[in-house]
Amino acid sequence: MSAVLTLPRDARLPAIGDLFAHLEGITVVDASETEWCDTSTLSLLLACARQARRQGKTLTLLAPPPQLRRLAQLHGVEDLLFAGSP
């Protein structure tokens, strides 16, 4: 069973700080409402991807905003985050 994490509209610190403690079982991240993101958002998503891999699963990122894709490209982690995404 997949657990879904929905990112908030503002997915920057400190808004997402508490989410780091609740990543167990997350295999789907819904970013459809996210308008603002930064490197802390990438860090959270990479942590989700690590957790999913530990479970033998792939992280699926739904509706990532263009800014998030650009950040991932800039930091060289696009393949890690978007491999299992539609």
Side-chain angles (χ1 to χ4, degrees):
M1 183 167 151
S2 296
V4 177
L5 170 67
T6 301
L7 291 179
R9 183 171 175 250
D10 184 351
R12 301 172 292 183
L13 282 179
I16 63 168
D18 292 339
L19 296 178
F20 282 91
H22 306 285
L23 300 181
E24 188 67 35
I26 299 295
T27 57
V28 177
V29 175
D30 180 357
S32 61
E33 295 183 18
T34 303
E35 293 182 18
W36 295 286
C37 55
D38 61 10
T39 55
S40 60
T41 313
L42 285 181
S43 181
L44 177 71
L45 294 174
L46 288 168
C48 287
R50 278 192 300 275
Q51 283 285 353
R53 276 195 308 276
R54 286 185 192 128
Q55 299 169 20
K57 298 181 181 180
T58 302
L59 179 69
T60 300
L61 187 56
L62 302 176
Q67 178 186 4
L68 184 56
R69 282 196 180 270
R70 284 192 302 274
L71 276 172
Q73 287 173 331
L74 179 66
H75 292 278
V77 297
E78 186 177 28
D79 290 344
L80 295 173
L81 293 179
F82 299 103
S85 301

